[in-house]
Amino acid sequence: LLTSSLGLAQSKHANRLVSPILSSQRTITNPVPALAKKQNAVGAISGSHVFHRMILLLKRSSAQQVSLQKLLQEQQNPGSPQYHHWLTPTEFGQRFGPSASDLVKIVGWLKAQGFSVAKPPTGRQFLLFTGTSAQVDSAFQTQIDRYRIKGKTYVANAVPASIPTALAPDVSGVASLSSSAKITPEYHLAPNPQIEINNSALTGPADLSAIYDAAPLQKANVLGQGESIALIEESNISLQDLTDFRKIAGLPPAKVNVIVNGPNPGLLPGEETEAIADVEYAGALAPDATLNVIVTGSTTLTPGIALSMAYAVDNDVSPITSLSYGVCETLEDTYAPNVVALFN
């Protein structure tokens, strides 16, 4: 009886959306990005243009945030009972997400604006929704326009986007309303390689082992047995490339699963190289580990990397996650603050 009463009290306390959802009372969530200047504008985007898999980022209460920071510290403290005691997505959602009642209200508001909404993630940290540009403009009282900078065309919100204030206790905003907010591949070849074989610069598994001082692990036969690694990608890979790499490197055949999250983006020029390098070298140090490659195509406003990461975490794909894409840290606050919040 005491447990039931406590559970009910916590549930009531967790409901933060208690005011009527009025469109006339607004809270700004997404400021106008720096690129959205009049001199860069090339016209409004068609109202019928469909934005697929947009991300509405949810947020924690102040008390939840304090509790989460405390837990994160305890999980890294060997003297704490919470040391390396990781939460499942369900446990995380129950402790740090909005209440089930609030979630229903947020989904209901999105649907009332004409959006289609995917099944809420278990961890309750975001919602995926799809709709037209006209629906985005109306729901968030903004305007999505096209801009051209240095030969590239982007779309972005021309005026600050907002939500009904009644939703603000649980909703941070849209993860991105600008197609420029893209986490980018970091793979490149050195301009002046110091080691060349047949005029090609090569770094092999033995080099990686030396760089990370992995030889003691390998001598102890710690090769990733029973482990799995989630590789976060937005391009598919050529499995033949992986087979050839491991054969040349003297590694056993790979245990690999390619998980295509949504439409298959195929092999993307400039990104497949990074994706295959991720998979090859994660398996180079842990040749016996299972490699779970999560592939999600980017949409107009949502980076595939963000969708792949969200999938990996919310579906608890692997205990180890590898992400090689990035963005300059000094640009975080002005570049795409809600994208950074999503990754956090």
Side-chain angles (χ1 to χ4, degrees):
L1 182 60
L2 177 60
T3 301
S4 299
S5 298
L6 285 173
L8 183 60
Q10 289 173 347
S11 176
K12 286 182 178 180
H13 178 72
N15 293 338
R16 303 197 296 274
L17 304 188
V18 295
S19 302
I21 302 174
L22 304 177
S23 182
S24 58
Q25 299 176 7
R26 314 289 296 188
T27 295
I28 292 176
T29 57
N30 294 72
V32 176
L35 71 89
K37 298 176 181 178
K38 288 184 178 180
Q39 62 265 34
N40 299 328
V42 292
I45 194 167
S46 169
S48 61
H49 180 91
V50 178
F51 293 121
H52 294 277
R53 305 180 89 176
M54 300 179 72
I55 299 177
L56 189 71
L57 189 62
L58 307 181
K59 68 181 180 184
R60 292 175 282 276
S61 68
S62 298
Q64 285 176 321
Q65 186 62 34
V66 169
S67 178
L68 176 57
Q69 290 304 125
K70 184 174 183 292
L71 175 63
L72 291 175
Q73 292 174 0
E74 291 175 342
Q75 285 177 328
Q76 302 298 335
N77 178 7
S80 169
Q82 299 301 320
Y83 180 63
H84 283 193
H85 178 72
W86 316 120
L87 302 184
T88 66
T90 298
E91 291 169 336
F92 193 94
Q94 290 172 344
R95 289 182 60 175
F96 302 114
S99 69
S101 174
D102 283 1
L103 201 58
V104 168
K105 290 181 180 179
I106 299 168
V107 171
W109 177 77
L110 285 171
K111 289 183 176 180
Q113 310 312 303
F115 298 116
S116 61
V117 185
K119 180 182 177 182
T122 306
R124 302 185 190 180
Q125 299 302 294
F126 61 90
L127 292 168
L128 296 180
F129 65 103
T130 295
T132 65
S133 178
Q135 289 167 336
V136 171
D137 288 355
S138 175
F140 298 98
Q141 293 195 1
T142 187
Q143 179 179 321
I144 306 298
D145 286 351
R146 291 181 297 121
Y147 298 87
R148 191 162 182 82
I149 302 174
K150 296 180 179 180
K152 293 184 178 181
T153 300
Y154 304 94
V155 300
N157 55 307
V159 297
S162 63
I163 58 171
T165 298
L167 296 174
D170 275 335
V171 177
S172 176
V174 182
S176 176
L177 285 177
S178 169
S179 62
S180 68
K182 184 172 175 59
I183 312 302
T184 56
E186 300 301 315
Y187 181 91
H188 66 279
L189 293 176
N192 298 301
Q194 299 301 307
I195 300 174
E196 292 191 4
I197 299 176
N198 295 331
N199 297 318
S200 296
L202 301 177
T203 300
D207 300 298
L208 197 68
S209 177
I211 291 167
Y212 288 100
D213 194 23
L217 289 174
Q218 294 165 342
K219 289 180 180 178
N221 199 39
V222 178
L223 303 173
Q225 299 94 326
E227 290 289 352
S228 72
I229 305 169
L231 288 308
I232 307 303
E233 311 297 344
E234 59 185 27
S235 169
N236 213 323
I237 62 171
S238 166
L239 290 176
Q240 186 61 50
D241 284 349
L242 178 60
T243 298
D244 294 343
F245 172 86
R246 291 178 73 107
K247 183 177 180 180
I248 293 170
L251 299 172
K255 291 176 282 188
V256 58
N257 301 309
V258 177
I259 302 169
V260 180
N261 174 32
N264 192 337
L267 306 180
L268 301 183
E271 297 201 42
E272 191 273 342
T273 307
E274 174 135 357
I276 194 65
D278 289 345
V279 178
E280 289 171 347
Y281 281 89
L285 281 189
D288 289 345
T290 297
L291 305 172
N292 293 319
V293 188
I294 303 172
V295 179
T296 314
S298 295
T299 68
T300 305
L301 289 175
T302 309
I305 285 297
L307 292 167
S308 286
M309 176 59 80
Y311 180 95
V313 172
D314 200 66
N315 290 279
D316 203 9
V317 171
S318 296
I320 300 165
T321 302
S322 173
L323 170 63
S324 64
Y325 286 57
V327 65
C328 179
E329 291 89 341
T330 62
L331 298 177
E332 284 185 355
D333 291 337
T334 56
Y335 181 73
N338 280 334
V339 171
V340 175
L342 173 68
F343 275 87
N344 288 340

